Amino acid sequence: MKEKSPITAKEMWRITLNLTLVCFSAALILGVVFNLTEPKKRSQIAANEKTLIQKLLNLDEKAKILEVRRYLGPGQPPTIGYLLSDELRQYNLDGKFLKKWDLPEVFQKAPTQERDEWVEKEFPESHFVGRFFAAQNPDGTLTGYVTEGSQYGFKSLIRFFVALSQNFQIRGVEVISHEEDPGLGDEITKPAFKNQFLGIRLEDLQTLKLTKGPKPEEVAPEKEKQIYAVTGATISSQALVDGVKQAVWHLERRLNVVR
Amino acid sequence: MSFDKLQAPPFRELLWRGFFSENPVFRLALSLCPAVAVTNSVKNGLMMGLAVWAVQVLSSLTIAIFRNFIHDKVRIPIYTIVIAVWVTAMDMTLAALAPKIYSEIGLYIKLIVAFAIIISRLELFASKFPLIPSVLDGFSMGLGFLFAMVLIGAIREVLGNGTIWGVTLIEVRPILFLVLPAGGFFTIGLLMAALNWVEKGRHV
């Protein structure tokens, strides 16, 4: 075998310098691009969520969408903070009111990120854990709610929105992101599956079951309180059913606390 | 470096090469996995082709500019970093500026980092030749890839699904099998055979 020429120290330095410079400039370029594109991407996501909520609750342009963000505070047992459109309220786990801060006017219209930073300062060691939305008519009456939930599916977290009318009847379920298998688990995002949730009431949820087997041609909505699973994707279907149940129950409890 | 003494091929040959005589998919048989995975419709094929084209040209440009600076022993990692930077930058830009397109092809864009065709053009061409021939080579290779993707996509979509660009052409699905991944290999194989036959005819 031919012996390889050894790398001299000088050459080693050159290689190191070479790689360091390349990685450094790569990081610099990507950092600049990220900073330029990230705000646009964020505002797009927010705009998409707004249109989705409007579609789910069938809102017109005049209706206002209020966002309620929830923060988990420090302590044992922990405290919960709710950020409303103009104030931050702190409750204990049983829903007893503890304290409130007024949100300064400059932050009321500010992007979410800035409001989160304000909360971090006022409510130290807390972190964002979830959110829900309430739709409000121009005259101040609430017309419906959308809550964000997540549940582990077959592979990873399934994130979804559940839209509810004022009297807690499901008006729509929409999967925001998931990593289920194409053709099997990802069928849960199709209307054929998710539309089965339409019209289900809060009191039905306790007995709501996932059924395996062929879906009958016509399901009588008053009689049947069941969701037909996607064939070959029972775990994904079950996850969405469980997730929706949890999300609605949590929303009901939290609304009672905040109201 | 002795490489600089190499004579770059004439421009016309450079352009023709990527498109036909050294077409990445049909001749070099590189990057077949994505070519099969993505080309079940014309639209997907075109989007993927455009993304690869852009990354190929930009990477060839970068490597050609810095070719004398890159140390021979670490050239492959550096090619990979350059490709990854362009792919990631494009990924972020598309997500911000064209979210509709991004939601359809975002998954495939990240795959471009590992495309054999791009790294092979950098190693075989851009690292040895000056700026203009390198960019032309990247341009023609990228275009050749785009052409192949669109052609395969069109054949598979029409014969497999009866549609073209989502518009229904034939009510039935003549050969449904073609939209499946295995059908992609069949299409590429048959197209390779057809191109060989055409080329033989040219020389005889």
Side-chain angles (χ1 to χ4, degrees):
Chain A
M1 214 175 100
K2 215 180 115 186
E3 207 167 310
K4 277 186 185 168
S5 60
I7 299 175
T8 58
K10 199 181 149 201
E11 209 176 356
M12 201 67 225
W13 274 112
R14 277 193 54 208
I15 292 175
T16 314
L17 184 74
N18 212 305
L19 276 176
T20 313
L21 275 178
V22 167
C23 290
F24 188 77
S25 25
L28 197 74
I29 294 171
L30 287 184
V32 170
V33 175
F34 179 82
N35 272 331
L36 288 176
T37 54
E38 189 60 11
K40 270 221 175 93
K41 206 169 154 184
R42 272 224 192 90
S43 63
Q44 238 150 36
I45 291 172
N48 283 349
E49 279 173 353
K50 198 181 159 204
T51 11
L52 179 61
I53 292 167
Q54 278 171 340
K55 201 190 86 195
L56 282 173
L57 287 177
N58 206 1
L59 299 174
D60 53 17
E61 278 301 314
K62 272 178 279 174
K64 237 165 71 180
I65 297 169
L66 309 171
E67 186 184 1
V68 179
R69 298 173 73 78
R70 194 159 45 84
Y71 302 85
L72 190 67
Q76 202 51 254
T79 52
I80 310 283
Y82 288 97
L83 179 69
L84 286 90
S85 55
D86 56 354
E87 59 189 25
L88 173 69
R89 296 188 202 159
Q90 190 187 10
Y91 296 90
N92 71 7
L93 279 188
D94 302 324
K96 197 171 150 276
F97 178 77
L98 298 174
K99 196 177 166 188
K100 78 169 213 186
W101 297 264
D102 285 323
L103 180 65
E105 202 134 329
V106 277
F107 287 110
Q108 290 185 11
K109 295 257 184 252
T112 320
Q113 204 187 0
E114 286 176 36
R115 278 189 291 158
D116 275 353
E117 279 163 15
W118 177 81
V119 171
E120 245 165 62
K121 238 177 17 213
E122 297 292 321
F123 187 18
E125 287 175 60
S126 68
H127 61 272
F128 170 73
V129 280
R131 59 193 178 148
F132 61 85
F133 304 88
Q136 194 180 38
N137 267 347
D139 61 3
T141 53
L142 294 176
T143 52
Y145 311 101
V146 173
T147 180
E148 188 184 34
S150 56
Q151 181 80 20
Y152 274 98
F154 188 63
K155 287 204 168 154
S156 175
L157 219 50
I158 302 172
R159 280 181 56 228
F160 54 89
F161 274 2
V162 186
L164 296 143
S165 61
Q166 175 65 16
N167 53 7
F168 271 76
Q169 193 171 12
I170 293 181
R171 303 208 34 188
V173 172
E174 191 74 48
V175 176
I176 307 290
S177 69
H178 70 92
E179 283 171 30
E180 305 302 291
D181 293 308
L184 293 167
D186 93 334
E187 296 283 317
I188 58 169
T189 62
K190 303 272 166 72
F193 182 74
K194 69 183 185 193
N195 283 357
Q196 297 183 78
F197 286 100
L198 293 180
I200 289 176
R201 291 165 191 283
L202 180 63
E203 55 269 25
D204 302 334
L205 284 179
Q206 200 60 258
T207 54
L208 183 69
K209 273 211 183 74
L210 185 78
T211 310
K212 287 201 258 182
K215 194 173 169 183
E217 280 295 307
E218 264 179 55
V219 184
E222 327 48 64
K223 248 168 64 189
E224 308 281 326
K225 298 287 178 266
Q226 50 196 346
I227 304 280
Y228 289 90
V230 175
T231 308
T234 311
I235 295 175
S236 311
S237 311
Q238 184 72 54
L240 197 61
V241 172
D242 291 347
V244 167
K245 281 187 189 181
Q246 294 293 335
V248 175
W249 284 330
H250 283 314
L251 176 71
E252 196 231 354
R253 193 165 42 78
R254 282 164 195 158
L255 271 176
N256 283 335
V257 169
V258 178
R259 219 186 313 252
Chain B
M1 285 241 260
S2 60
F3 286 139
D4 279 316
K5 286 175 196 133
L6 285 176
Q7 193 59 46
F11 291 170
R12 262 189 56 196
E13 149 129 41
L14 267 183
L15 283 175
W16 178 247
R17 211 154 73 159
F19 208 72
F20 192 84
S21 64
E22 275 184 36
N23 186 294
V25 176
F26 299 131
R27 281 302 142 87
L28 306 181
L30 288 173
S31 300
L32 284 186
C33 301
V36 168
V38 184
T39 53
N40 48 16
S41 72
V42 184
K43 202 175 179 180
N44 283 352
L46 181 75
M47 296 294 182
M48 189 67 180
L50 285 175
V52 172
W53 193 13
V55 172
Q56 176 72 76
V57 172
L58 291 168
S59 308
S60 287
L61 178 90
T62 319
I63 294 297
I65 291 174
F66 296 108
R67 69 184 189 284
N68 291 331
F69 168 76
I70 294 166
H71 197 282
D72 213 38
K73 285 213 159 58
V74 288
R75 61 187 196 284
I76 302 290
I78 289 178
Y79 298 157
T80 318
I81 293 172
V82 168
I83 299 170
V85 165
W86 282 117
V87 169
T88 315
M90 204 159 76
D91 185 72
M92 293 196 283
T93 319
L94 263 185
L97 300 182
K100 283 240 167 66
I101 298 177
Y102 184 76
S103 66
E104 285 188 18
I105 58 161
L107 200 66
Y108 306 125
I109 287 191
K110 295 181 183 83
L111 285 177
I112 299 176
V113 178
F115 268 28
I117 176 64
I118 299 179
I119 211 161
S120 81
R121 284 338 283 175
L122 299 185
E123 166 74 4
L124 295 174
F125 206 97
S127 60
K128 294 171 189 166
F129 292 104
L131 185 62
I132 294 172
S134 296
V135 171
L136 269 177
D137 176 71
F139 181 87
S140 82
M141 283 292 165
L143 196 66
F145 188 77
L146 174 74
F147 161 73
M149 296 289 274
V150 172
L151 187 63
I152 301 167
I155 291 175
R156 289 178 70 188
E157 195 179 348
V158 171
L159 293 182
N161 214 7
T163 59
I164 187 124
W165 198 268
V167 180
T168 309
L169 214 65
I170 326 165
E171 278 303 320
V172 289
R173 294 169 161 188
I175 317 171
L176 180 61
F177 161 71
L178 281 185
V179 291
L180 303 174
F185 279 116
F186 272 84
T187 316
I188 293 174
L190 291 174
L191 280 171
M192 271 183 192
L195 280 187
N196 283 342
W197 182 71
V198 168
E199 199 170 29
K200 264 227 170 104
R202 274 203 322 148
H203 287 311
V204 169

